Amino acid sequence: MTTDFQNARIALGARLRELRAAAGLDGKGIAERLGWQRSKVSRLELGKQTPTPGDLSAWAQAVGRPEVAGELTGRLSGVETKYRSWRRQLVTGHRARQELAIVETSHTRVIRGVEVARVPGLLQTPDYARAAFAANSEFRQTAKDIDDAVRTRMRRQQALYEPGKSFRFLIWEAALYVRMCSREVHAAQLDRLVSLIGLDSIELGIVPLGVQLRRTPAHGFWIYDRRLVIVETIDTEMWLGDEDSIRLYERAWDWLAESAVYGAQAHRIIARARASLDAM
């Protein structure tokens, strides 16, 4: 079973490989520059060995990019922690976290996601994603790598069309009205949601305003198969893999899913939000 630790290490290895390739070096070439065994280079790039901060600084020098040493050590700092400070994760920008999401998604057949105040990242348009990343960077006072983050999020969305994968999303109706972007961008995002209803790999449910709910979380969360729950709070992202946490969030999912509407009813709710936007 893969874990968030392993996936974070794989994502870091992929970044090392990208930097090495961009420098025009093969594995043997960078090993010679560093004075390492070729096997060490391979283990690091494949995520089979955790690098030291010194390894990462040396790698940055070897590929002619000393300025990325801080980015690489920032990625390393989040590898082993279960409760991840957003500020620490995003110290070098959003791209690294999006790359980690790509790795986690690649290992997952069924993803269930709940969002209370925005459209899920896997369903966002590029312009909506750009506005979301910009707002988050401004709020958290972190590095702004907006274009790289958007491109990486769009790469992750390719998973929506992979055979054998299934995506189930629940969005609180209020999130359809929360604007973090221009009216035109928000309208295009609502149109995209409508276009996704009925796609074979996607089930989209809207939790209507005023619905009576039993006790459920007031924050977003994502369930990856039955092995991992990622919970987002204002200051921390928690990666939970224990059976009790998974059962708890699956129960929350089931209660919300029972209250959600789908298909034509979901379409009507989104259309209502779209009409409200047009009337502004």
Side-chain angles (χ1 to χ4, degrees):
M1 180 180 73
T2 58
T3 65
D4 57 306
F5 166 76
Q6 290 168 314
N7 290 335
R9 200 163 63 171
I10 290 169
L12 176 56
R15 178 61 171 145
L16 296 178
R17 185 166 58 251
E18 177 186 51
L19 290 168
R20 187 255 302 158
L25 295 169
D26 58 14
K28 179 181 178 182
I30 195 168
E32 290 176 349
R33 284 196 183 185
L34 291 165
W36 295 352
Q37 295 292 322
R38 176 68 181 86
S39 58
K40 178 176 179 178
V41 170
S42 178
R43 289 195 302 272
L44 291 177
E45 290 190 349
L46 294 174
K48 295 182 177 180
Q49 177 177 329
T50 304
T52 66
D55 289 338
L56 297 177
S57 179
W59 194 285
Q61 292 288 341
V63 299
R65 296 284 306 279
E67 73 279 5
V68 303
E71 172 204 332
L72 297 176
T73 54
R75 290 173 182 248
L76 178 65
S77 68
V79 166
E80 294 185 316
T81 179
K82 177 179 178 182
Y83 297 90
R84 303 177 177 211
S85 158
W86 278 116
R87 187 166 184 82
R88 178 180 295 178
Q89 283 198 84
L90 303 179
V91 66
T92 59
H94 286 81
R95 177 184 172 179
R97 177 59 185 82
Q98 294 305 303
E99 289 175 343
L100 183 55
I102 289 176
V103 173
E104 194 60 56
T105 301
S106 71
H107 296 313
T108 306
R109 293 180 61 84
V110 180
I111 289 180
R112 290 170 284 178
V114 173
E115 289 290 357
V116 300
R118 63 184 178 187
V119 172
L122 275 165
L123 305 182
Q124 292 176 2
T125 66
D127 288 337
Y128 185 97
R130 182 171 288 105
F133 286 131
N136 203 28
S137 294
E138 182 178 358
F139 174 67
R140 300 185 188 282
Q141 295 293 289
T142 55
K144 296 182 178 180
D145 61 341
I146 309 302
D147 289 340
D148 283 343
V150 171
R151 282 191 290 268
T152 309
R153 174 161 284 178
M154 294 305 107
R155 279 200 291 119
R156 186 189 179 203
Q157 291 185 6
Q158 295 172 12
L160 295 173
Y161 308 98
E162 292 180 11
K165 288 189 181 293
S166 176
F167 300 86
R168 302 176 62 193
F169 300 102
L170 297 174
I171 304 175
W172 290 74
E173 182 179 353
L176 303 176
Y177 294 86
V178 175
R179 281 184 53 196
M180 62 183 75
C181 52
S182 70
R183 190 186 68 81
E184 293 76 16
V185 168
H186 194 79
Q189 179 61 73
L190 295 178
D191 291 342
R192 168 149 170 82
L193 287 181
V194 170
S195 73
L196 293 172
I197 294 175
L199 192 67
D200 287 344
S201 63
I202 295 176
E203 179 184 80
L204 177 60
I206 306 296
V207 181
L209 294 173
V211 69
Q212 184 174 354
L213 292 172
R214 288 176 283 181
R215 181 67 176 170
T216 57
H219 50 254
F221 62 91
W222 294 69
I223 305 173
Y224 291 76
D225 291 332
R226 288 206 75 257
R227 60 183 172 77
L228 173 66
V229 178
I230 298 179
V231 181
E232 298 180 0
T233 69
I234 193 169
D235 61 348
T236 304
E237 184 184 60
M238 296 176 287
W239 290 52
L240 309 173
D242 60 285
E243 187 64 26
D244 287 344
S245 293
I246 291 171
R247 281 200 300 266
L248 178 66
Y249 277 93
E250 285 190 322
R251 186 159 62 250
W253 168 274
D254 289 341
W255 286 5
L256 284 169
E258 289 174 3
S259 301
V261 298
Y262 304 86
Q265 288 179 282
H267 190 167
R268 283 195 291 272
I269 289 177
I270 298 171
R272 185 164 63 224
R274 181 70 164 82
S276 174
L277 189 63
D278 288 340
M280 295 179 63

